[in-house]
Amino acid sequence: MKTVLLTGAGGSVGTFLRNELNGKYNLRLSDIKPIKQLAPGEMFVAGDIGRLADMLRVTEGVDAIIHLGGFAVEGPWDIILRSNIIGLYNVYEAARINGVKRILFATSNHAMGFYRRDQKIDHRTYPKPDSRYGVSKVFGEQLGSLYADKYGMEIFCIRIGNAATMPADKRRLSIWVSPRDLAQLVQIGIDHPDIRFEIVYGVSGNRRSWYDNSNAERLGYRPQDDAEQYATEVLAREKPVQDERSELHQGGNFVSAEIGGDPSRVTPKVNAKQAAAKSKAKKAVKATKAAKPKAKNSVKPKAKKAVKKKR
Ligand code: 15L
């Protein structure tokens, strides 16, 4: 039986995969914090992906690595740099030194988050990350490409949508992946004999999908689930649209967090309309102000609250 290492095994995706892969592989679980309850066939090795020495110890003698470790949402640059750039480099480099050829990299839909929802994208579409987190995922994919071409490693990148027992909201109806579908993809990544460098979308067979996942299908992926079965329930509790730009793009609120610059460069169609509406509104405000006498003690508007990121 193959021995498979899971970095970041203590997280939610790690927990789903532990359940699904149990009995199929010997699982070596690694995380910075101890995982206390182990099932038969599992062992735990502590390790910090920020330290190459730890990763050399943790990756020794395994047949494949599922790299889940790192920071799983948008965060400050120093955290992204340590966990998702340096940490990822350490995992790849330790694998190369230890002769572990196969790495499955848990990349994310946020590598592509600035694509609009009315666009269908595939594994050949160029990245458009929506955050520093998304950029770190593109970095991981590209480091994988380098290690495949330069060192003959076998890299399988799964751009995970949202792994959960059921889709949480309307956006997730398009990107949801059930634990068993994700596990099916992971098994393809571990066992397929002919992998050099591949990108697949980690999504179930969702009717509302934004992805052409033909590359996964070519490798044998046959998803069992479709988020549509939850659609009525999910849509009934959907809140009204808060932010047009989040609604327009695949990355959702990762797109609108800390937004600045010239929005028309991102979404020409809709923003052309928005810009026209905005300038009309501005003119209307100016006209009202000109008509009213100025108040003496006018109070400055409070700074807008920073956008809070949801997982
Ligand atoms: C991700 O990449 C995150 O790791 C996860 O927590 C969710 O935010 C997911 O994307 C998503 O887009 O729903």
Side-chain angles (χ1 to χ4, degrees):
M1 198 185 273
K2 287 180 185 166
T3 298
V4 175
L5 166 70
L6 270 90
T7 66
S12 61
V13 175
T15 309
F16 289 138
L17 290 179
R18 284 174 62 194
N19 289 335
E20 298 288 334
L21 302 179
N22 193 272
K24 298 184 173 113
Y25 309 101
N26 292 317
L27 297 179
R28 184 183 297 175
L29 313 178
S30 181
D31 212 311
I32 201 158
K33 283 192 209 139
I35 297 172
K36 287 186 185 130
Q37 286 197 329
L38 297 177
E42 290 184 339
M43 69 171 286
F44 176 74
V45 186
D48 175 359
I49 56 170
R51 296 155 65 107
L52 179 61
D54 281 16
M55 288 306 104
L56 281 168
R57 183 172 42 77
V58 162
T59 58
E60 202 180 345
V62 299
D63 296 296
I65 299 169
I66 308 173
H67 180 47
L68 306 170
F71 203 66
V73 284
E74 178 62 319
W77 174 240
D78 53 345
I79 294 181
I80 297 290
L81 176 65
R82 186 172 194 277
S83 313
N84 294 13
I85 307 276
I86 298 171
L88 180 119
Y89 177 79
N90 288 341
V91 172
Y92 276 63
E93 193 52 8
R96 183 189 68 78
I97 294 167
N98 280 332
V100 182
K101 278 184 104 177
R102 191 154 297 199
I103 301 182
L104 282 68
F105 172 47
T107 174
S108 167
N109 69 89
H110 295 288
M112 310 299 281
F114 258 117
Y115 279 97
R116 296 163 54 124
R117 296 184 185 186
D118 56 11
Q119 273 176 293
K120 199 134 198 155
I121 58 174
D122 72 7
H123 56 290
R124 287 169 298 222
T125 313
Y126 73 89
K128 268 163 114 33
D130 57 24
S131 48
R132 289 177 291 276
Y133 167 69
V135 170
S136 75
K137 293 299 183 182
V138 177
F139 171 79
E141 295 174 1
Q142 293 308 308
L143 195 70
S145 171
L146 174 71
Y147 273 52
D149 288 338
K150 198 170 278 264
Y151 305 119
M153 289 176 63
E154 299 166 348
I155 310 294
F156 191 74
C157 299
I158 308 177
R159 282 187 186 145
I160 301 179
N162 186 253
T165 47
M166 63 173 283
D169 53 25
K170 189 177 112 199
R171 178 175 159 269
R172 268 67 167 246
L173 291 175
S174 301
I175 65 164
W176 175 67
V177 63
S178 67
R180 65 175 173 172
D181 283 343
L182 183 60
Q184 190 195 141
L185 266 176
V186 163
Q187 285 182 76
I188 292 170
I190 296 170
D191 294 324
H192 197 289
D194 189 20
I195 301 288
R196 185 185 172 104
F197 175 79
E198 300 294 349
I199 292 180
V200 297
Y201 287 90
V203 291
S204 284
N206 305 323
R207 215 163 304 168
R208 299 173 192 235
S209 180
W210 300 317
Y211 310 118
D212 165 353
N213 211 6
S214 50
N215 199 35
E217 285 153 25
R218 180 184 64 82
L219 295 164
Y221 181 50
R222 301 288 176 268
Q224 309 281 295
D225 295 304
D226 176 350
E228 207 56 27
Q229 69 182 109
Y230 301 103
T232 315
E233 193 184 334
V234 166
L235 294 174
R237 52 163 199 262
E238 186 74 2
K239 292 192 188 109
V241 173
Q242 309 249 317
D243 180 288
E244 284 299 332
R245 214 157 3 179
S246 298
E247 183 66 16
L248 185 71
H249 291 97
Q250 298 184 0
N253 62 6
F254 281 59
V255 161
S256 44
E258 305 166 27
I259 204 102
D262 175 6
S264 67
R265 294 178 66 93
V266 182
T267 53
K269 265 202 233 161
V270 166
N271 278 298
K273 268 195 217 157
Q274 284 177 342
K278 229 180 175 184
S279 84
K280 211 175 164 190
K282 255 188 181 174
K283 274 183 198 158
V285 171
K286 253 190 182 172
T288 332
K289 271 188 184 166
K292 266 191 202 168
K294 238 187 180 179
K296 262 190 177 176
N297 300 318
S298 59
V299 182
K300 272 190 188 169
K302 275 187 189 163
K304 271 188 191 164
K305 272 189 189 168
V307 183
K308 220 177 167 191
K309 293 168 282 300
K310 266 201 307 196
R311 280 176 76 106

